[in-house]
Amino acid sequence: MDRDFLIDLFADFGPVTIRRMFSGHGISADGTNFALSLRAGLYFRADESTIPQFEAEGSKPFQYQTRTKTVTVNSYWQLPARLFDDSEELAEWARAALAAAQRAAVRKRPKARKVARPKVSKKAAKKPVASRKPAARQRTVKKARRK
């Protein structure tokens, strides 16, 4: 699928951003990627609330082959072929896919980082702190007696 076809396909949905990605295109709205256009077809983002809708249409999750196995990506499901002729219903599915992608983005937000502690060498960590300080005091006392 080329860019112009994809732009026309999502006309009822609204403005989308289309970027080259892998062997196809990534499709996003409001900065959130919600669809993939690859050689094998068009895939929409899905989650536990939208997967049953794809299953009811007989769709399959995105799969690709490596040298040793087939990898299934359950977060992207193939768009039913009948939706290519119904732009209004395709727009509804696209809105659901965008909502699924936004829910996933909320779940992945990074937590506040912990403050890093200063690193202590292994030798310093093994010696008790109290035993190191008196030794330093003894030296200063000895220097004072010599004078």
Side-chain angles (χ1 to χ4, degrees), residues 32-50:
T32 303
N33 195 25
F34 70 94
L36 299 173
S37 170
L38 303 169
R39 285 180 246 148
L42 186 60
Y43 296 86
F44 276 6
R45 182 70 189 231
D47 62 6
E48 62 276 347
S49 64
T50 58

Side-chain angles (χ1 to χ4, degrees), residues 18-43:
I18 300 170
R19 294 190 183 134
R20 295 281 302 144
M21 185 175 188
F22 307 120
S23 61
H25 297 91
I27 303 162
S28 60
D30 300 328
T32 303
N33 195 25
F34 70 94
L36 299 173
S37 170
L38 303 169
R39 285 180 246 148
L42 186 60
Y43 296 86

Side-chain angles (χ1 to χ4, degrees), residues 36 40-46 50-64 70-81 93:
L36 299 173
L42 186 60
Y43 296 86
F44 276 6
R45 182 70 189 231
T50 58
I51 287 175
Q53 192 177 14
F54 286 96
E55 289 174 332
E57 293 283 339
S59 293
K60 303 277 185 210
F62 174 64
Q63 294 181 336
Y64 63 93
T70 300
V71 177
T72 300
V73 181
N74 276 322
S75 57
Y76 283 93
W77 283 66
Q78 190 164 22
L79 188 68
W93 282 63

